Amino acid sequence: MMQDTGKNIIIAGVGGQGILLFSNLLSKFYLKLGYELKISDVIGLGQRGGGVESHFRYSTKPVLSPFIKAGDVDYLISFEQTEALRHLHSLKEEGVIFSSTYELTSTSVNTRLQNDLAESKMEIINRTENKKFIIDPEKHKSSEFDISKMMNIFMLGYYTEFRGYSHDEMIQIVKESVPAKFIEGNLKAYEKGAAVAREELVTA
Amino acid sequence: MKTGNENAGMKMMNGNEAIARGAYEAGVKVAAGYPGTPSTEVMDYTHHYYPEIYCEWATNEKVAVEVAIGASFAGHRSLALMKTVGLHVAADALGGAAGSQINGGLVLVVSDDVGRIAGDDYNDCRHYGNMFNIPVLEPSDSQEAKDFMVRAFEISEAYSTPVILKPTSVTCKTTSKVVFDNDYKYEAKYRNIYPISFSKVIMTTIMTKAKGSEHPKLTKCFNDFVANMRRLAVDSNESELNRLELNGKKIGIITAGTPYYYAKEVLPDASFLKLGLVNPLPAKLIRELEAHVDQLYVIEDGHDVIEKNIKDLGVSVIGKELWPKFPDMMRFTPDVIEEKLVPDAPKRTPMKDVPFRLPVACAGCSHNFISRILKQHKIKAAADVTCGLIGCFPHMESYQLQKCMGSSPGLAHGYNLATDNKEKFVAMIGDGGFWATGINGLLNLVFNDSQSTLIIVDNNCLAMTGGQHIASSDFGFNYKQENRLDIAKMCEAIGVTDVVTVDAYAYEELEQSILNAVNAKTNSVVIVKKPCVTKFKLPKETPFCIDQEACIKCRKCINVGCLAIESKTKNGEVEIVINEDICTGCGLCSTVCPTEAIKN
Ligand SMILES: Cc1ncc(C[n+]2csc(CCOP(=O)(O)OP(=O)(O)O)c2C)c(N)n1
Ligand code: SF4
Ligand code: SF4
Ligand code: SF4
C-alpha cells in the first residue's frame, strides 16, 4: 500500500451531510496505514445549510499546508452538485470526481437575490475532462437505510471499493466510531456504496 | 516538541483539543471563558477530558477574564477563553492585569476567525499585544498549540505578564498529529510570590513618584513591566518559539501561524524566520535574516501587525503592498503566495457565478416566528448577535438595526428617545445576549423611563455557537437547580412594568403579546420560549408539503427563512417545494401562503 505516497482530497457538501464524520473515518483508516495526515475543516458562513468543505491530505512525508492548493487535488468527493462546482478548478488533470447529484438550492437563488447558473450543474460536471463517478441517491433509495442521512457512509464504501482498500478494515472503523443504534443502517449503506462502485468499475 | 520519551503518546487532534491538552499539561486549575467560533470547543474538550480543571462558561468575556485574574492572584495557573470580539468586551479587564504582578500564570486564549469562515468581522487580537505591551504567541499546528500553551504559562510567570495565545479558525479546525508524554501526571501548578497585584495605574504612580525609595511598603508595589518586556524581547532571540531557517539567499520570509506552512510548501528553498512569539519581536533574528537574503517578505494572516512592528525596527519588508489585506484578501492561502512569488506557476480560477449560500435558520426555529411577526406588522426593530440575526439578511428584511452582542436594548432605547417614542422601535435579543451584557441595557432603559419593548428569545442556550449553557439554562458544567436564574423574575426585579412569557409556536398569542407590548406606553418585555430545535433535537411533527396545483409561486413562504423550503427547477419549470427530510412541521410557512397551498 505504501507505494502510494499520498493524496489530496477535497470533501465538499452542505451542513448536516456528515462530511466531518466521513473525513474522520477516513483519517482513522489512513492513520492505521501509517500515513502522515492533515485535515482542515471549513464551515461556511451559513448557520445552517451553508457549505462545508474538508481538505484532507495524507502523505508518507509530513504534510505542510492544511489547505490544498488549486491544481493539487487528486480526488474531489462532493455530496452536493453546487459544492462540486466550487472545486472543479482545483483538480489535477488526472484528478477524479465523485459527486452526488443531490442539490440543495442556494438560499440566494431561492429568494431570487441571485440567478442560478443557466446551465445544468450536472452537465457542467459531466463536461470536465476529469474522470468522474456520479451517484444519484434517488436511485439507491432503500428501506434498509435512509440514504438522505447516510450518504456519507455510502460514499465511504464506494471510495474504499474504488481504491481497492480492505473493506474489513474500513467496516471495523465504522463499527468503532458510529453509535450502536446506527451501526446496522450504516453498514447497509456502506455495502450498498461498495456494491454500486463495483458495478461502475466494471463498466468504466 | 522533543519528547525523547519511550512513552510518547500520539493522537490526532484539532487545534482546540490540543490547546485543552496544553492547558492540562501546564497544570491549569481554573478555566473561564465565553463561547465564540472558532475556539468554543477548547472549553468543551477541557471539561470533557480533564475533570481536574475547573471549567466555567462565565456570563461574558469580561467576567471570564476577571475570574481568571483572581485565580491567578491566588497562585494558580488560570486560563480565559474567548474570540477576539469577546476580548473587545474584556479589554478593560485585560488592561487591568497587564503590567501587574502575576502569581499563577495567566493566559488568554483568543481566537481570530481569519477568512471570516464562520461569519466574524475582520478582527486581530494581536493589536492588544501592542496596546497593553504583553506577549502574543501564535501556533501553526496542533502540536504547537499544545506546546505553546505550556510555554505561555511559563512566560507569564517568568516575565510577570498576562499572555495571549492566538489560534485562528484554521489552527482551531485543522487536525494533525500531536505527540505528548503518556506518563504525564497532572499537578495543579502553584506559585505565590506577590502579596499584592494592582493595576498599572497604582504601581506607576508609586514607581515614578517614589523613585529611589527603598521603603519596603513602596518597593513591594514596584513591578517594572517595561523592563520585563524588554528582557523578553532580548530572550526571544534565543527562544525555541522562534526558528530561523537559513536557506536560499533570494527570498526571506517572516511568518507565523498556518501561513508558515503555506509559504513553506510553495517556496521550499526560501529562508524563513518562523515566529511563534509574535510580540515582542526577536530583532536580532530579523536582522540576521535581513542580512542573509536579497528581499524580505512578511506573510501573516489578519492585520499587518507583525509587518508594522518590523518596520518600526527600521527593517524594510514587503507585505501588504504585495498582498493587499481586507477586503482584497480574506486570508492567505498557498495559492495567493504562489501567484505573487512564483511567476510562472499555472493559474487556476474558480468557476464564476456559482450561487452563494446566504445563512438561513434551522427549520422550526423560534426566531423565524418573531421575524415573521415583526415584518408582517412593519414593526421596526433591532436584532442582537443571535441566530435571529438571520432576519437582517436581505431575503428576510425583518430588522433595521443590528450591532454587537448585547446591544439591542440600548439601541432601541436610543432610537425611541430620539424619535420621542413615536415609532416604537423594538429590541430582540437572545437569552445569552441578555445575560451577557444586554441586561445592562435593560436596566438602563428602565431607570431612564424608556417606553421600549425587549423581546427575549429564551431557547435555553447560546444557540449560534452550538448550544452552551447560560444562567437560565437547565443544564451546565456547574448546574444546580437552586442556582438557576429566571429571566422573567429578573426582569420584574429590575422594575420592568410589563413582563409576559409566551410559547413561540402559539402564533396568535405571540403576535398579540408583541403587539400589546409595542402599543403600551411603558417599558415591557416579551419572553419567547422554545428550546433550540437543533440543540435539543425537538421531536418533529408531520412535515408540510406544497400543493403544486394551488401554488402561485409568490415565494412568500421562502421568505420566512426556513431551510426546508426550496425553489427547484425541473425541466425548465420552477417549483417551490418543502424538503420533507428537513421540515419539522412547525407550520409557520402555512401562515403566509395566500392560496393555502401549504398543508400537512
Ligand atoms: C462579545 C461577543 N462574544 C461572543 C460572541 C460569539 N457569539 C455569537 S452568537 C453567540 C450566542 C448567542 O446566543 P443567544 O444570545 O442566546 O442567541 P441564540 O443564538 O441562542 O438565539 C455568541 C456567544 C460574539 N459575537 N460577541
Ligand atoms: S441553532 Fe437553534 S436557535 Fe439557531 S437557528 Fe437553529 S434552531 Fe434556531
Ligand atoms: S412547516 Fe414550513 S416553516 Fe415549518 S419547518 Fe416545515 S417548511 Fe419550515
Ligand atoms: S406562499 Fe404558497 S403560493 Fe406562495 S410560493 Fe409558497 S406555497 Fe406557493
Side-chain angles (χ1 to χ4, degrees), chain A residues 8 13-15 24 27 31 35-53 55 57 63-72 80-83 85-86 88-93 102-117 121 124 141 146 148-149, chain B residues 10 12 116-120 140-141 169-170 173-177 258 260-262 264-266 331-335 338 346 348-363 387 390 393-395 463-466 534 540 553-555 558-559 563 565-569 576 579 581-582:
Chain A
N8 295 321
V14 291
N24 184 267
S27 77
L31 211 57
Y35 284 105
E36 300 272 350
L37 292 170
K38 237 175 213 180
I39 306 131
S40 195
D41 300 327
V42 185
I43 319 251
L45 176 77
Q47 251 314 85
R48 311 298 143 178
V52 177
E53 66 184 77
H55 287 227
R57 311 186 72 187
V63 181
L64 300 176
S65 170
F67 290 120
I68 307 166
K69 194 155 57 67
D72 284 353
E80 203 274 348
Q81 299 181 15
T82 323
E83 297 310 309
L85 296 186
R86 285 189 221 286
L88 289 180
H89 71 287
S90 298
L91 279 157
K92 289 180 180 168
E93 262 167 45
Y102 174 75
E103 181 175 25
L104 182 74
T105 314
S106 299
T107 340
S108 58
V109 171
N110 284 333
T111 51
R112 284 199 281 209
L113 293 166
Q114 238 184 332
N115 288 329
D116 206 346
L117 293 164
K121 299 188 182 68
I124 300 175
K141 273 200 167 152
D146 180 353
S148 78
K149 297 214 173 62
Chain B
M10 195 282 274
M12 295 297 287
R116 305 175 81 190
I117 290 167
D120 185 16
S140 298
D141 58 19
S169 34
V170 188
K173 303 282 182 192
T174 298
T175 301
S176 59
K177 188 172 76 181
T258 49
Y260 164 71
Y261 284 121
Y262 312 152
K264 192 79 184 163
E265 188 159 312
V266 173
R331 62 169 160 82
F332 269 100
T333 57
D335 312 64
E338 188 178 69
R348 304 279 195 134
T349 32
M351 204 180 134
K352 271 213 233 77
D353 304 327
V354 181
F356 170 63
R357 292 193 188 274
L358 268 171
V360 266
C362 306
C387 280
I390 282 163
F393 282 97
H395 51 306
M464 197 173 177
T465 41
T534 299
K540 291 187 179 185
K553 302 180 186 25
C554 70
R555 291 182 183 241
I558 285 180
N559 294 334
L563 176 62
I565 311 175
E566 285 179 79
S567 104
K568 291 264 187 213
T569 312
I576 313 296
N579 184 327
D581 293 323
I582 301 177

Side-chain angles (χ1 to χ4, degrees), chain B residues 71-374:
Chain B
S72 149
F73 181 60
H76 286 286
R77 290 190 169 181
S78 310
L79 155 71
L81 168 72
M82 70 214 71
K83 70 188 296 183
T84 298
V85 282
L87 185 50
H88 302 331
V89 174
D92 198 21
L94 177 59
S100 66
Q101 295 91 337
I102 299 287
N103 283 326
L106 176 64
V107 173
L108 276 70
V109 174
V110 187
S111 57
D112 269 319
D113 214 349
V114 300
R116 305 175 81 190
I117 290 167
D120 185 16
D121 206 353
Y122 183 66
N123 283 288
D124 194 321
C125 69
R126 298 174 303 173
H127 288 295
Y128 288 100
N130 280 356
M131 174 135 68
F132 294 132
N133 196 17
I134 58 174
V136 182
L137 297 174
E138 211 176 325
S140 298
D141 58 19
S142 298
Q143 183 73 57
E144 287 189 355
K146 175 188 91 62
D147 296 343
F148 284 14
M149 268 303 271
V150 178
R151 290 291 292 125
F153 281 97
E154 290 165 2
I155 290 172
S156 172
E157 290 174 4
Y159 300 87
S160 191
T161 174
V163 174
I164 292 176
L165 180 109
K166 168 195 152 136
T168 66
S169 34
V170 188
T171 28
C172 287
K173 303 282 182 192
T174 298
T175 301
S176 59
K177 188 172 76 181
V178 176
V179 179
F180 56 88
D181 180 0
N182 244 342
D183 284 343
Y184 171 78
K185 289 262 175 305
Y186 174 83
E187 181 201 344
K189 292 247 168 46
Y190 182 76
R191 181 184 93 133
N192 201 337
I193 56 175
Y194 300 110
I196 58 151
S197 172
F198 299 136
S199 71
K200 274 194 291 202
V201 183
I202 294 180
M203 292 186 308
T204 38
T205 310
I206 297 166
M207 281 164 64
T208 51
K209 297 301 166 203
K211 255 192 197 135
S213 168
E214 294 300 317
H215 196 291
K217 276 196 183 180
L218 290 174
T219 55
K220 84 170 181 191
C221 295
F222 292 1
N223 183 45
D224 200 344
F225 50 88
V226 179
N228 287 342
M229 279 299 278
R230 281 202 193 115
R231 187 159 54 86
L232 179 58
V234 172
D235 295 351
S236 70
N237 291 296
E238 314 294 329
S239 168
E240 84 292 353
L241 292 166
N242 299 324
R243 191 169 68 232
L244 195 56
E245 300 170 3
L246 296 181
N247 294 312
K249 290 183 177 292
K250 268 181 74 179
I251 295 178
I253 291 170
I254 303 176
T255 180
T258 49
Y260 164 71
Y261 284 121
Y262 312 152
K264 192 79 184 163
E265 188 159 312
V266 173
L267 302 159
D269 301 325
S271 291
F272 280 84
L273 172 57
K274 184 204 171 298
L275 298 171
L277 182 65
V278 299
N279 192 51
L281 288 176
K284 222 176 78 194
L285 296 182
I286 292 171
R287 296 227 156 76
E288 231 174 285
L289 182 64
E290 184 189 27
H292 182 77
V293 298
D294 298 341
Q295 184 60 58
L296 271 186
Y297 298 88
V298 57
I299 296 184
E300 61 181 320
D301 264 333
H303 297 189
D304 51 346
V305 177
I306 298 177
E307 182 176 341
K308 279 192 179 135
N309 288 348
I310 293 174
K311 286 177 176 164
D312 277 356
L313 294 171
V315 174
S316 87
V317 283
I318 295 181
K320 63 173 187 245
E321 56 264 55
L322 193 57
W323 293 285
K325 301 253 172 197
F326 184 85
D328 299 276
M329 180 175 85
M330 293 303 200
R331 62 169 160 82
F332 269 100
T333 57
D335 312 64
V336 175
I337 298 169
E338 188 178 69
E339 187 193 331
K340 294 291 167 64
L341 296 185
V342 188
D344 47 357
K347 200 168 157 44
R348 304 279 195 134
T349 32
M351 204 180 134
K352 271 213 233 77
D353 304 327
V354 181
F356 170 63
R357 292 193 188 274
L358 268 171
V360 266
C362 306
C365 178
S366 58
H367 282 294
N368 287 342
F369 285 72
I370 298 161
S371 299
R372 156 84 184 133
I373 290 167
L374 293 175

